[in-house]
Amino acid sequence: MSQLIISVGREFGSGGRVIAEGLAKRFGIPIYDRHLITEVAEKIGVSPEEVEELNEAPNSRLISRKVRGYSNSIEDNIAEMQFDFIRKKAESGESFVVVGRCSETKLKDFSGLVSIFILGDMETKIKRVMEVYEVNEHDAQNLIEKKDKKRKRYHNYHVHMHWGDSRLYDISINSSRLGIDRTIDLLEKYIRARTEE
């Protein structure tokens, strides 16, 4: 496998982004996550903060519409710009890790794609969110539920299969079982086995 694209979907608090960063380091390839926001912001002439506000947000079905593939929804347009960005990177032959952005589906035609979904036990996710975001247990659980609901709505709006459905991914793994570092170890072994095919 000459090109390697690692797509990482994740539940909030599962450590998915940290795992994606770890895999990018292990394979010596770039990671696209926050970079996509900066790229889109530059193209449309707004601040990254403004794009972040609308990132991975589904549009309002009541006030938005598509005509001949074009949308009047800024949320749709930002999503499409990010999908275009990762498709162009893939078409160029570049190897990379991408976090979210429906990449397990948007890049499914590339033979070098390895798609992963990271999930976790609620108790472990709450503890992690409490530590990372310095919030109490109640706020951590609310944040997890809010973020995952947003990700699910975004994914299910742009893709016809459901977010987190194991059939979308090559491998789904609960990071609570092994912890972050050992989950990265296991995924590295899996990906290396795939690249030997």
Side-chain angles (χ1 to χ4, degrees), residues 40 44 51 54-67 69-84 87 101-102 106 153-159:
V40 168
I44 60 177
V51 175
L54 299 168
N55 183 47
E56 291 192 336
N59 67 21
S60 169
R61 292 176 193 241
L62 296 174
I63 59 173
S64 66
R65 59 181 232 179
K66 280 190 176 182
V67 178
Y70 294 96
S71 175
N72 68 341
S73 160
I74 190 164
E75 294 91 347
D76 273 357
N77 293 329
I78 285 171
E80 286 301 326
M81 289 175 85
Q82 292 184 68
F83 300 152
D84 287 344
R87 273 193 296 262
R101 279 67 185 191
C102 306
K106 298 297 180 181
R153 285 182 61 220
Y154 170 86
H155 185 280
N156 295 353
Y157 175 79
H158 292 288
V159 175

Side-chain angles (χ1 to χ4, degrees), residues 30-48:
I31 181 169
Y32 295 116
D33 184 10
R34 297 281 179 208
H35 314 79
L36 296 172
I37 292 169
T38 305
E39 180 85 12
V40 168
E42 286 174 2
K43 281 189 178 178
I44 60 177
V46 298
S47 73

Side-chain angles (χ1 to χ4, degrees), residues 4-10 16 19-20 23-24 29-32 86 95-108 110 112-118 155 163 168-173 187 190-191 194:
L4 173 62
I5 302 169
I6 304 172
S7 161
V8 180
R10 74 283 183 224
I19 290 167
L23 290 171
I29 55 179
I31 181 169
Y32 295 116
I86 60 172
S95 292
F96 58 91
V97 176
V98 59
V99 180
R101 279 67 185 191
C102 306
S103 52
E104 82 293 327
T105 303
K106 298 297 180 181
L107 301 179
K108 68 181 178 183
F110 293 88
L113 177 69
V114 177
S115 57
I116 298 163
F117 190 81
I118 311 293
H155 185 280
W163 178 75
L168 281 173
Y169 310 95
D170 296 314
I171 186 169
S172 296
I173 188 165
L187 289 171
Y190 174 80
I191 294 164
R194 284 282 306 278

